[in-house]
Amino acid sequence: MALLSIAAGELYYHREGAAPLAIESRFARELIERDAASRRNTSWKHAEREDNSRGMISGAQLWGQRGGAPGVLAPPRFLHACAGGEPGVIYYLLSVARSIGLFRYHLDEQREVRLFHRSATPVLGMTYDADARRLILSNAQPDGSAHLDVYDEDGNHQGTVTGGDCMDGAPSRIWGLPNALVYASAGVARHPQAGHVVALGHSVINRLNFVSGDIDTVLEDPAYDFVAPRAGRDGSLYAIRRPVEKPVHEQAGMALKDTVLMPLRLGKAVFGYLNFFSQVYGKEPLRSAGGPRAPELDQDLGQIWLHGRLIELRKIKTDAQYAGNLVPGSWELIQIPPHQRSPRVLANHVAGFDLRADGTPVFTNGYDVMALDGDRRVKLARRDLVEAVAVLD
């Protein structure tokens, strides 16, 4: 069995009996190398003069920079990946240098083909329809909604197939129905005067027919979010089910908690304000560089977004609901067999999954990649912070 996994933003190709192969984007590597060379060639513009204390103009002031040399580009990050229409061909979306690119990759040749490259706009899922030889992407809109767009195999936009004030994501083809797909959708609530997004409704699973344009809701429960749907060859519907996250104003005890924590939060805000001015004008922070780090003052909170939900990595070890997994036990992989309405829970702590051609689910808890063999779990691979898996055969 061959599959892909995205772990900590990196893409890996797994084959049975072989070590995982990290897939590297040549486009991203060349872009970062060009940026590094450019910064080396222009570093003299941003370097501080040794005699700056005697009133000379610094390089940063001369060239209009406020804080020294331009920042180094962040490492590229793989966002989504899926199988292509031919063996050994995959598609992936990559974020690099404040932009997003869609690529086709030939595994045997290790050859990358760039289909498009544009400014960074959130993409909430991707699938390849082998029957119609097209890609479906969920593209976020400036107004906070997200809809499904169709592209041909060369990355040319063919049209938008969903609409409305909602967030449509995680599209997936339906086996045996070449003109249909399933996807997750959540309604958007907006401020009545300003019009900006203030909340999202619970996520449901819809089925879209490309020919008729009909959209049917096939899985809904106001108490749960259903995300990352997959349709099996036998007509079964699979998805990740998790409890709906209540808005802050509906969570019990939040008012009391806010009152108790107000002095601490105010103190942190004042400290941060004074620390900023100390570094700007005195060139020294208020906090000593030595000694243990204070997590509450650390700006790197260790968080990732997963299926529209913010995951705090510190909870993996400290919160019993996570039990050492990337997501809590309430994130369940469910199956609804054909002609039935009651879901069957297949696994807990499920961060992502996909289906093999025979309908066998392959899933991850954020660390182990496993396949279900009846009630038995077969471990296929292990990596840290696995966000998604995609089966290739």
Side-chain angles (χ1 to χ4, degrees):
M1 180 176 63
L3 59 91
L4 302 172
S5 70
I6 297 179
E10 297 182 343
L11 181 61
Y12 294 92
Y13 174 45
H14 303 264
R15 293 169 296 174
E16 192 171 358
L21 174 66
I23 295 177
E24 182 186 28
S25 169
R26 179 178 177 181
F27 170 80
R29 185 183 72 245
E30 292 177 350
L31 184 64
I32 291 176
E33 288 175 351
R34 288 197 302 268
D35 175 75
S38 175
R39 286 187 289 105
R40 286 195 300 269
N41 294 335
T42 60
S43 60
W44 61 274
K45 298 180 182 180
H46 315 288
E48 294 291 339
R49 296 177 60 95
E50 294 181 358
D51 54 358
N52 188 41
S53 60
R54 296 195 294 269
M56 300 298 291
I57 299 177
S58 68
Q61 293 169 325
L62 178 62
W63 293 98
Q65 300 292 331
R66 292 188 177 184
V72 178
L73 291 182
R77 184 176 183 84
F78 289 89
L79 304 176
H80 304 283
C82 65
E86 302 174 4
V89 176
I90 64 173
Y91 289 89
Y92 54 75
L93 280 160
L94 179 72
S95 172
V96 60
R98 298 173 297 279
S99 62
I100 285 180
L102 173 65
F103 300 85
R104 182 172 60 241
Y105 191 83
H106 299 260
L107 291 166
D108 294 338
E109 308 169 40
Q110 297 187 5
R111 178 168 60 92
E112 180 184 64
V113 179
R114 179 164 59 99
L115 304 181
F116 69 63
H117 181 226
R118 68 188 189 196
S119 60
T121 302
V123 178
L124 308 183
M126 174 180 70
T127 190
Y128 178 80
D129 184 348
D131 295 319
R133 303 185 71 87
R134 60 192 171 194
L135 289 153
I136 297 94
L137 274 63
S138 168
N139 291 318
Q141 308 299 319
D143 64 356
S145 61
H147 302 131
L148 304 185
D149 291 325
V150 177
Y151 296 81
D152 65 20
E153 291 183 305
D154 295 321
N156 299 307
H157 186 247
Q158 302 296 301
T160 303
V161 293
T162 63
D165 214 4
C166 55
M167 293 191 69
D168 300 328
S172 179
R173 63 173 297 191
I174 299 178
W175 290 100
L177 295 177
N179 291 305
L181 58 82
V182 289
Y183 64 95
S185 183
V188 173
R190 299 186 180 276
H191 190 279
Q193 285 78 40
H196 57 261
V197 177
V198 295
L200 291 176
H202 61 284
S203 180
V204 305
I205 303 302
N206 289 340
R207 179 175 56 211
L208 167 68
N209 186 307
F210 281 97
V211 177
S212 65
D214 293 337
I215 297 177
D216 301 312
T217 299
V218 295
L219 186 56
E220 178 180 17
D221 187 330
Y224 293 98
D225 283 331
F226 297 98
V227 297
R230 297 288 187 273
R233 289 180 182 269
D234 65 349
S236 293
L237 179 64
Y238 298 79
I240 295 175
R241 181 179 70 177
R242 67 191 183 195
V244 167
E245 193 173 53
K246 293 183 178 180
V248 174
H249 66 275
E250 294 183 8
Q251 296 178 14
M254 287 304 298
L256 177 60
K257 179 181 178 181
D258 289 341
T259 302
V260 172
L261 294 180
M262 183 180 296
L264 175 62
R265 292 170 176 169
L266 182 60
K268 289 169 63 178
V270 172
F271 180 90
Y273 181 79
L274 296 177
N275 188 55
F276 169 77
F277 278 95
S278 177
Q279 294 187 68
V280 170
Y281 296 106
K283 307 301 182 184
E284 292 183 358
L286 295 180
R287 181 177 54 174
S288 173
R293 295 180 64 178
E296 67 274 10
L297 297 177
D298 197 337
Q299 295 301 309
D300 182 7
L301 300 180
Q303 300 171 330
I304 63 171
W305 283 96
L306 192 59
H307 303 302
R309 190 74 63 85
L310 187 64
I311 303 295
E312 298 184 20
L313 301 183
R314 62 179 177 82
K315 290 186 176 181
I316 294 174
K317 295 182 178 180
T318 61
D319 193 327
Q321 298 183 67
Y322 287 73
N325 301 283
L326 183 59
V327 296
S330 57
W331 289 43
E332 302 169 327
L333 173 59
I334 63 167
Q335 174 195 17
I336 302 180
H339 313 298
Q340 295 188 23
R341 299 182 61 89
S342 300
R344 173 191 173 200
V345 178
L346 303 179
N348 303 91
H349 300 285
V350 177
F353 79 99
D354 200 5
L355 299 178
R356 298 185 63 183
D358 62 2
T360 302
V362 176
F363 67 97
T364 178
N365 60 6
Y367 295 92
D368 293 317
V369 178
M370 296 166 281
L372 281 180
D373 182 9
D375 294 330
R376 188 170 64 95
R377 300 184 180 189
V378 180
K379 184 176 177 180
L380 305 176
R382 181 175 177 82
R383 300 214 70 87
D384 287 341
L385 302 181
V386 181
E387 305 167 33
V389 293
V391 175
L392 301 183
D393 55 11

